[in-house]
Amino acid sequence: MNGGDGGDVAAAPAGPPLPLEWKFSQVFGERTAGEEVQEVDIISAIEFDKTGDHLATGDRGGRVVLFERTDTKENIGSRRELERMDYSVSRHPEFRYKTEFQSHEPEFDYLKSLEIEEKINKIRWCQSSNGALFLLSTNDKTIKYWKVQEKKVKKISDMNIDPSRAVGNGSVASSSVSSSPKQCLANGGYADRSLNCLSNDLSFPPGGFSSLRLPVVTSNETSLVARCRRVYAHAHDYHINSISNNSDGETFISADDLRINLWNLEISNQSFNIVDVKPTNMEDLTEVITSAEFHPTHCNTLAYSSSKGSIRLIDLRQSALCDSHSKLFEEQETPGSRSFFTEIIASISDIKFSKDGRYILSRDYMTLKLWDINMDSGPVSTFQVHEYLRPKLCDLYENDSIFDKFECCLSGDGLRVATGSYSNLFRVFGCAAGTTEATTLEASKNPMRRQVQTPSRPSRSLSSSITRVVRRGSESPGVDANGNSFDFTTKLLHLAWHPTENSIACAAANSLYMYYA
């Protein structure tokens, strides 16, 4: 940009993005007041596909439900038509129910006398092909590879017989038998080979029936069919906590408490153990694997988190079991801060890579942390989610709430992160430099109902190094982030951010809520 004197004038640096104003979009499975929720209907997994045009949920009953986006399909037109309509490109995503199928059934391991729940732990979308959708779903022990495709339903729509020329050795066929397929042809034939007509008179008049023609078969209707293509079983001694697709489109990983296995999508009877933290003597076990994720673009790189609050980045081209070929990310413990609950609340329940693979977002019980994979000195940002619960850790331990596993997600542009909390609340934080955005929303038709406007505090630097460390959130004991009492029985564990737009899908018991900004 040139000034009036011909010199260059530097543009003013852009400030942090403004906080988003979230609005309710849709709800599926909304329950009425006082309605009891069945255990099998509670949603246990949510996942958008890479395009954002499809959304999948899994529940504790072993079912997978698919939704498809409708607002883009309904408004497809030429550029000139869109300009004439003054079509707004900021229209928020709208979804509709597409289909559902039973992915897993309850099983019993007779060797270990162990019941295996049908609950869906994770869902991951695979690359689509020829109009078909592919996805992986897993319960505690078995992973399944599903193909969902539209199949044309063939029907006999017209028999093309002239009733006036039919002979009385059989009933006259209707001109359309799609609604009555059991009717017989005029010469004693059948509209359906499996059906028998009452008449046994198979005699033909001299010269045959000049009016008889072949029936017309049409394929006007389509039906969605889900077919299980592969079953990957008997590879985990402990419960599967995560699965992740590789960017090569051919392989994926599955992780349990002690091992991570690498699979090929086309080979279900063989997997390769790439990480094994099981000690020779189980009494020496000090940590377990809690989550694992492939890098979004580097097919040889993956990260996994541990119950000690650390994240390890490994390169599959080297020995994954060798520390010299992996990178460890952990936060140094503050001297004198250790207590009985320290390791429990430090355990990471979920990790996610940013879209470009530069950052890793992790969720432990108390906080969200954002890590730069180029810096292993500590997280670059820390967001307080449950700091107000610190005085209640004894109660949370007694009722097992301290072991709840909350998921986390990042926006497609990497500017914001989100995670769930109690009382069906979820938090959205800005992670751009200079921002103080910290929004609390409720999974209801009025997401801002629990929001209290409080002056935002400036970010507080906690490190003198070049690493930018920011801590934001509530620090008020006994209440939630906005001064409201909390309810441990209603928890928002699962949520997902649309890959390209500011839209969030989250699960509150059996209800799927969607919001946009």
Side-chain angles (χ1 to χ4, degrees):
M1 176 177 171
N2 294 325
D5 58 355
D8 292 337
V9 177
L18 295 175
L20 295 177
E21 181 181 350
W22 291 93
K23 300 176 183 177
F24 169 78
S25 175
Q26 293 173 278
V27 58
F28 297 93
E30 184 182 22
R31 60 185 185 277
T32 58
E35 180 184 354
E36 185 177 351
V37 178
Q38 299 297 319
E39 180 79 10
V40 294
D41 294 331
I42 296 177
I43 296 173
S44 57
I46 301 178
E47 185 78 5
F48 280 103
D49 71 348
K50 287 186 177 181
T51 66
D53 291 337
H54 294 92
L55 175 68
T57 64
D59 62 27
R60 295 188 182 180
R63 293 170 301 226
V64 172
V65 183
L66 304 184
F67 301 87
E68 66 177 350
R69 188 169 177 176
T70 59
D71 58 299
T72 53
K73 290 184 177 181
E74 294 171 357
N75 293 283
I76 293 177
S78 67
R79 179 175 178 178
R80 182 170 297 179
E81 290 174 349
L82 296 179
E83 290 174 349
R84 187 183 304 118
M85 294 167 57
D86 193 23
Y87 176 71
S88 173
V89 294
S90 61
R91 181 185 175 97
H92 66 274
E94 293 180 2
F95 287 79
R96 69 181 175 193
Y97 169 87
K98 186 178 180 72
T99 188
E100 68 180 85
F101 56 91
Q102 189 71 32
S103 174
H104 288 72
E105 300 281 356
E107 301 176 41
F108 189 81
D109 187 335
Y110 292 95
L111 189 62
K112 298 181 179 179
S113 297
L114 183 69
E115 290 184 0
I116 302 173
E117 291 183 333
E118 64 270 36
K119 170 177 167 277
I120 304 298
N121 291 341
K122 296 290 180 180
I123 296 174
R124 290 293 181 265
W125 288 92
C126 304
Q127 292 182 356
S128 58
S129 175
N130 297 326
L133 303 175
F134 296 87
L135 52 89
L136 291 166
S137 61
T138 184
N139 65 353
D140 286 340
K141 294 291 184 180
T142 305
I143 308 161
K144 294 185 178 182
Y145 184 38
W146 291 92
K147 177 182 181 180
V148 182
Q149 189 176 30
E150 288 187 347
K151 294 285 187 180
K152 291 184 177 180
V153 180
K154 294 183 178 180
K155 288 190 176 183
I156 301 175
S157 61
D158 196 344
M159 304 307 291
N160 280 340
I161 286 186
D162 182 1
S164 63
R165 305 186 65 176
V167 183
N169 67 331
S171 60
V172 177
S174 170
S175 60
S176 177
V177 299
S178 58
S179 61
S180 182
K182 295 185 179 181
Q183 293 177 348
C184 306
L185 304 187
N187 67 337
Y190 323 117
D192 189 326
R193 294 182 182 180
S194 64
L195 304 178
N196 294 320
C197 292
L198 298 177
S199 174
N200 292 322
D201 183 7
L202 300 177
S203 59
F204 287 85
F209 297 107
S210 59
S211 61
L212 179 63
R213 293 194 297 272
L214 288 175
V216 176
V217 179
T218 59
S219 303
N220 293 329
E221 295 185 15
T222 59
S223 175
L224 281 167
V225 177
R227 184 168 64 90
C228 183
R229 296 195 59 192
R230 300 279 189 278
V231 177
Y232 314 91
H234 312 300
H236 288 278
D237 293 330
Y238 303 91
H239 290 177
I240 298 172
N241 56 48
S242 53
I243 54 176
S244 179
N245 296 84
N246 198 345
S247 58
D248 62 9
E250 299 178 356
T251 56
F252 70 94
I253 55 172
S254 58
D256 64 24
D257 289 347
L258 299 180
R259 292 186 176 94
I260 300 178
N261 293 332
L262 177 67
W263 301 82
N264 187 297
L265 283 169
E266 300 302 322
I267 303 173
S268 59
N269 60 357
Q270 184 183 41
S271 65
F272 298 94
N273 179 226
I274 56 175
V275 174
D276 190 343
V277 300
K278 183 179 181 180
T280 305
N281 185 355
M282 285 296 286
E283 292 182 358
D284 298 330
L285 182 67
T286 59
E287 62 180 332
V288 297
I289 299 169
T290 57
S291 183
E293 192 87 1
F294 256 122
H295 191 281
T297 58
H298 298 167
C299 62
N300 295 308
T301 305
L302 65 90
Y304 70 88
S305 59
S306 78
S307 57
K308 279 191 169 183
S310 63
I311 300 172
R312 192 174 290 276
L313 192 69
I314 63 176
D315 188 338
L316 297 182
R317 293 168 295 186
Q318 310 292 339
S319 172
L321 306 179
C322 179
D323 288 343
S324 62
H325 296 133
S326 62
K327 196 171 185 179
L328 183 65
F329 301 87
E330 59 183 350
E331 189 171 25
Q332 297 301 317
E333 186 177 318
T334 305
S337 63
R338 174 165 286 273
S339 70
F340 172 78
F341 303 109
T342 298
E343 288 195 6
I344 300 176
I345 63 177
S347 178
I348 295 175
S349 57
D350 189 28
I351 59 172
K352 292 288 194 307
F353 273 99
S354 61
K355 192 173 183 179
D356 60 3
R358 171 70 183 271
Y359 298 95
I360 299 175
L361 179 69
S362 67
R363 170 69 203 264
D364 56 47
Y365 188 74
M366 304 296 286
T367 65
L368 268 176
K369 292 185 175 75
L370 190 66
W371 308 77
D372 187 332
I373 65 172
N374 295 330
M375 300 179 182
D376 54 6
S377 57
V380 295
S381 295
T382 298
F383 308 97
Q384 300 294 342
V385 181
H386 281 164
E387 187 63 27
Y388 62 91
L389 295 178
R390 194 172 291 276
K392 300 285 186 180
L393 290 181
C394 288
D395 297 335
L396 294 165
Y397 181 78
E398 290 294 328
N399 62 23
D400 286 341
S401 293
I402 200 171
F403 301 105
D404 288 335
K405 299 183 183 302
F406 293 91
E407 294 180 359
C408 58
C409 58
L410 298 94
S411 61
D413 56 16
L415 296 179
R416 294 172 180 86
V417 296
T419 191
S421 181
Y422 294 106
S423 303
N424 282 341
L425 300 177
F426 63 100
R427 310 288 308 276
V428 178
F429 299 96
C431 52
T435 182
T436 57
E437 180 178 359
T439 307
T440 301
L441 301 153
E442 182 184 46
S444 67
K445 288 187 175 180
N446 183 11
M448 306 297 287
R449 184 172 70 91
R450 301 282 288 270
Q451 187 72 23
V452 176
Q453 297 299 327
T454 55
S456 58
R457 298 170 308 172
S459 302
R460 180 162 53 98
S461 176
L462 300 176
S463 174
S464 59
S465 66
I466 61 171
T467 305
R468 182 180 62 89
V469 181
V470 180
R471 292 179 180 266
R472 292 196 299 278
S474 170
E475 295 180 357
S476 302
V479 295
D480 66 18
N482 293 305
N484 302 294
S485 60
F486 41 77
D487 179 6
F488 296 134
T489 62
T490 56
K491 57 194 75 172
L492 199 152
L493 302 176
H494 311 286
L495 76 171
W497 202 302
H498 191 282
T500 59
E501 302 179 26
N502 286 322
S503 175
I504 291 178
C506 57
N510 67 322
S511 302
L512 176 66
Y513 286 90
M514 306 192 73
Y515 303 94
Y516 71 97

